[in-house]
Structures are given as structure tokens and as C-alpha cells.
Amino acid sequence: MEILADAMVDTVELLLTVQAYNTHTLSEHELPPPIRRHFWNKKLRGVPKPLGVKVEDVCAIYGHSSEDVNRAVQSLPFVDVADFGSLSLTVLDVGLEWYKGKVDDERIVKNPAVAYCISPEKYERALKEVLPLHAERLWIDSMIEELRRELEEEAEEMLKLCTIVAPDEVMLSLEDIVLTDEQKENISKIVVALEHREYLSEVGLYDVGKVLFVGPPGTGKTSTARALSKHLKLPLLEVKLSMVTNQYLGETSKNIDRVFELAKRLSPCILFIDEFDFVAKTRTSDEHAAIKRAVNTLLKAIDEISLVRHGVLLISATNHPQLLDVAAWRRFDDVVWFPLPNEEMRREILKVVCKKIDRNLDFDELASLTEGFSGSDIRTAVKEAVLSALMEGRKELTQEDLLEAVKEFKKRLKMKKEE
Ligand SMILES: Nc1ncnc2c1ncn2[C@@H]1O[C@H](COP(=O)(O)OP(=O)(O)O)[C@@H](O)[C@H]1O
Ligand SMILES: [Mg+2]
């Protein structure tokens, strides 16, 4: 009985959504992602209008059997079945009233198209809740396809330099990263600036949205950039500067332009430039002029790109702040420091890393024994402990396993230092 009730609600939701999409000036952005994905047309790079609904569409989107959907349709007096299984609402208002009686607000605000028919307030909320079209893998892929059509070889050159991450592919969320209060505040500031970028533009404050993450390796810089992508529902363009710096130095400046061009095409997005200090590394004097040109291109590109105008949030990261000169520092309106975690933070990181393992561990002891460990070191030590337990045929992780792994890791750290 419940399956039938679900199939009825889902059928009506789809019909309402499609009807709203067909008759109002709504875009793909206002469709819930599963519906958007189902009707997506690659060639159009969008969802065609008008849309029709068939029984098999309901089945594909919501995972019902056609038997259930057919029975659902028969139980709904205001749904009409035409030839070839085409469905429609005979009386829209009756359908809408029925639907409102069956679902709660939480479901309504996941569907901007239906919310649009109910109230402006719910519509506003739904627009904030729904995954934006530009954050979807299918949108990113269609942008890439268009890029390939338009630029051919050049597109390949661009795409080679970066990784493009869609927000819902990011596994880690901000809550999983242990941050200092100062880091939290800095990150909230980024979030607020992004939410209010139109206002900032109105009041003439364009210089926001360029952030530098600074700290030793393994302190969460990359993870935070990715988690921000998920949190802000913005795709992330990840670039390692070492990849951009071509062995043919003349190409390096060109590569930098390519990266920024790609970011603009992907916008709104986050451009994450890792290993930002790479260009600062001194080399032979022959290379010097070319490097200098590349650095200038990079600094100019950073000056020129804007969150307000292009919708690109720039995050750079470096493990070696001492390599950056004043000209580079000046480009960023915000610096977020990623220190090695103190004892309290190490305890929290241990808890996060062991979240799915066991609660019967003494994190206080481990936190005090891991002085000098980065978050990444802690993760590695836990992984080693889990593996050695598995090698003994155990899935139960003990405090001893962890202590042993920490001891081993410390030995390795010491060896590295002595190298
Ligand atoms: N503060 C932290 N809180 C939680 N996990 C952390 C933290 N710092 C590092 N890690 C973990 O260590 C790993 C490496 O971190 P990463 O973000 O790549 O560091 P970085 O980019 O600073 O070198 C990630 O798996 C991350 O989850
Ligand atoms: Mg990193």
C-alpha cells in the first residue's frame, strides 16, 4: 500500500513540475536534479520545452516499477492517460491541492518549479536548497564538450592542466575538517562575501574573493578548498602550478592564461591554485627571464580576475610562504593560516578520522603522543594501524595498534628530518 502511495505522490510531483516548467518562464535551474538529469538533452545543453511525461519517465526518475505507476495513475482521478502512456493533469489546481496535502515543506523546498506554484517564499527557499545547474557534472561535461567543439586542440591543452571537481563528488565536508577559530572565521568571511557578491559590487567593493592558504604540508589546505566547493555548491578547478610550468618555458605564460580562461568559462566556480610558490623557485639565469615573464602573467591574471565580475573565487595554497615576495602577497585580500594542529585539535582530528572505526579508544593519550603530527600524518598513522590489525585478521582496532603505528610513524619522521 505504501509503495502505491509513494508512486502516486511521485507521479503527481513530476506532472506538476513539468507543467510548471512548460507554462512559466522557468529554466533547468529550477528543476530538481534527478528530473533535470533525466530530461537533459546533450545537444541542446539543456532540458527541452515543452516536456511530456510518460509512465516510464516516472519509473526512471523515482525507481518505481511500471506496474506500480500504472496502478497509481488509475487511483488518481485528476491524472489522464493518453495513447502511448502519456500522462497529464486534467485539472492543475486539484492536482496541486492534493499534492500539498500529501507532502511536507521539506519536500516542497527541494523542488523550485513546484514551489513556484505554491508561494514566492517557498520558491525563494527552494532556489537556495536545490543544487544549482552549474554545479552539476552534466553541466560541467557539456561545457567541456562545447569547449572541445569550439577550440579543438587548444581545449585539450587547457583541460590537461587542471582537474575539475563537481561539488557532489566531494566526499569530505567542512564539518569533517578540524579548524582553529581564526580559520573558521576566515572561512565564514569567504562564504558571506560570496553570498553577497552583488551587494559588494553595488557598493563598489570589488577586491574580495582572493584568498591564500598558508601552512605546512598535510594541514588541510586542499581538503578545505574541496569542502568549500561542496559547501558553496561551486565546481572546483584544481591546478597544480608545477603542472602549468612547462618544460618549454614559453608555454608557461600561455598555460596560465589557459587556466584562467577555463575558470571564466566554468564560472561561477572556485579556482584552486596549489603549490603557489612553485614559480618562485630560483633556477638558472637562462630560465630567469622566462620565469619572470610567467610570474608576471600569473600576477596580472590574478589582478584581472574578479569574484564580483567573473564569479571566480580564487584560492591559492602554499607550503612555503617564505618563497613569496611582496608582489605576490599583495594580490590576496585574505590569508588563512593552517598551523600544525595543537593537542586539542589533534584529538578532534583523531575523532574525525576514527569516526567510523570505534569509539573505544583513548584519544587523549594519542593526542598527547602525536606532537608535531599534521592532520595528514594522523590519518596515515591510523591507516597503518588499521592495516596491521587487518593483517592479523582483526577488524577490531585496539589502542595498542594505534600506539604502535604512532611509534613507527615517529621513527619515520625522525629519519626524514635527519636526511
Ligand atoms: N585539520 C584537519 N582536520 C581533518 N583532517 C585533516 C586536517 N588536516 C589534514 N587532514 C587530513 O589529511 C589529509 C591531507 O590533507 P590536505 O588537505 O591534502 O593537506 P594540505 O593540502 O594542507 O597538504 C586529508 O585526508 C585530510 O582529511
Ligand atoms: Mg594540498
Side-chain angles (χ1 to χ4, degrees):
M1 194 59 214
E2 203 171 304
I3 293 172
L4 181 62
D6 281 350
M8 285 164 77
V9 171
D10 293 341
T11 305
V12 175
E13 180 189 42
L14 183 59
L15 286 169
L16 287 169
T17 309
V18 164
Q19 184 109 340
Y21 181 71
N22 287 344
T23 50
H24 300 290
T25 51
L26 299 177
S27 71
E28 295 83 359
H29 183 74
E30 279 124 318
L31 298 173
I35 298 180
R36 190 194 278 163
R37 283 171 205 151
H38 176 74
F39 290 113
W40 188 258
N41 181 306
K42 265 187 163 178
K43 271 211 187 100
L44 274 177
R45 294 185 75 209
V47 174
K49 263 191 199 195
L51 277 179
V53 177
K54 289 186 170 185
V55 171
E56 60 246 41
D57 295 317
V58 185
C59 298
I61 295 170
Y62 299 96
H64 295 298
S65 70
S66 54
E67 203 178 45
D68 286 334
V69 176
N70 277 314
R71 273 173 54 219
V73 167
Q74 278 157 26
S75 323
L76 293 162
F78 50 85
V79 173
D80 189 47
V81 196
D83 297 342
F84 310 111
S86 288
L87 304 177
S88 62
L89 290 167
T90 47
V91 205
L92 177 70
D93 289 348
V94 177
L96 189 61
E97 284 311 312
W98 182 90
Y99 183 73
K100 274 159 66 181
K102 295 285 175 197
V103 299
D104 51 12
D105 273 9
E106 213 164 305
R107 174 141 178 185
I108 291 171
V109 297
K110 290 207 168 78
N111 186 328
V114 171
Y116 182 86
C117 305
I118 293 175
S119 79
E121 176 260 334
K122 290 209 169 63
Y123 174 62
E124 284 299 316
R125 263 179 65 198
L127 282 182
K128 285 202 183 114
E129 288 253 341
V130 78
L131 183 72
L133 179 61
H134 64 254
E136 284 237 46
R137 182 37 79 179
L138 65 94
W139 175 257
I140 294 172
D141 286 345
S142 69
M143 187 277 298
I144 292 175
E145 243 172 67
E146 193 183 75
L147 194 72
R148 289 198 160 117
R149 256 197 314 275
E150 190 189 321
L151 302 178
E152 297 173 358
E153 295 272 296
E154 176 60 17
E156 304 308 323
E157 295 297 326
M158 278 182 172
L159 295 165
K160 265 202 308 228
L161 303 168
C162 336
T163 320
I164 305 176
V165 183
D168 44 347
E169 293 162 359
V170 177
M171 303 304 282
L172 207 68
S173 65
L174 270 181
E175 293 81 58
D176 295 326
I177 304 174
V178 179
L179 299 166
T180 63
D181 287 344
E182 197 189 331
Q183 286 176 311
K184 279 187 206 149
E185 200 182 309
N186 271 314
I187 283 160
S188 314
K189 211 160 77 185
I190 301 170
V191 174
V192 167
L194 210 92
E195 278 169 358
H196 296 281
R197 64 171 197 264
E198 272 166 33
Y199 170 76
L200 290 169
S201 150
E202 278 165 30
V203 297
L205 296 173
Y206 301 104
D207 45 352
V208 289
K210 292 174 195 175
V211 191
L212 182 63
F213 287 0
V214 179
T219 48
K221 298 181 294 299
T222 303
S223 309
T224 302
R226 290 189 187 149
L228 266 174
S229 144
K230 188 191 179 86
H231 182 82
L232 296 167
K233 302 192 183 113
L234 291 175
L236 182 76
L237 191 63
E238 267 191 49
V239 189
K240 283 201 171 66
L241 221 45
S242 58
M243 300 276 294
V244 172
T245 317
N246 198 283
Q247 49 173 327
Y248 308 105
L249 280 169
E251 279 288 295
T252 303
S253 296
K254 230 192 251 170
N255 281 348
I256 289 166
D257 288 335
R258 285 175 175 136
V259 165
F260 280 79
E261 172 65 24
L262 192 56
K264 281 184 209 158
R265 286 181 181 244
L266 197 63
S267 85
C269 69
I270 301 176
L271 171 58
F272 179 58
I273 306 183
D274 210 350
E275 305 175 349
F276 189 74
D277 46 85
F278 196 84
V279 283
K281 297 228 170 93
T282 36
R283 306 173 183 224
T284 62
S285 56
D286 263 4
E287 291 176 329
H288 194 74
I291 291 266
K292 215 167 166 185
R293 252 199 325 276
V295 173
N296 282 336
T297 308
L298 178 63
L299 296 183
K300 229 177 86 199
I302 295 177
D303 277 342
E304 197 258 340
I305 199 117
S306 146
L307 175 62
V308 173
R309 279 202 312 276
H310 306 106
V312 177
L313 170 67
L314 176 77
I315 303 177
S316 297
T318 176
N319 301 338
H320 308 286
Q322 72 284 0
L323 292 178
L324 300 184
D325 62 10
V326 182
W329 281 104
R330 213 163 27 85
R331 284 346 198 249
F332 299 97
D333 47 69
D334 220 336
V335 176
V336 185
W337 296 92
F338 285 72
L340 280 178
N342 62 19
E343 188 167 335
E344 196 186 321
M345 286 173 75
R346 294 200 297 276
R347 189 184 320 119
E348 293 309 308
I349 295 172
L350 279 159
K351 279 187 197 160
V352 171
V353 175
C354 299
K355 196 165 68 179
K356 292 190 185 149
I357 300 176
D358 201 330
R359 289 143 297 273
N360 249 339
L361 300 162
D362 182 356
F363 292 124
D364 290 336
E365 184 186 21
L366 291 163
S368 83
L369 287 173
T370 45
E371 173 86 54
F373 280 45
S374 68
S376 165
D377 296 340
I378 292 175
R379 185 177 273 274
T380 306
V382 171
K383 187 186 75 191
E384 290 298 322
V386 170
L387 285 175
S388 64
L390 281 177
M391 277 171 36
E392 288 173 18
R394 285 181 291 120
K395 282 200 175 153
E396 288 278 294
L397 187 70
T398 64
Q399 184 77 5
E400 283 64 43
D401 293 326
L402 280 164
L403 290 173
E404 186 58 33
V406 165
K407 209 167 88 191
E408 281 299 311
F409 197 91
K410 271 188 175 166
K411 259 194 233 157
R412 260 193 285 158
L413 271 184
K414 205 165 144 235
M415 262 157 50
K416 240 199 229 158
K417 271 199 197 125
E418 281 162 8
E419 256 169 27

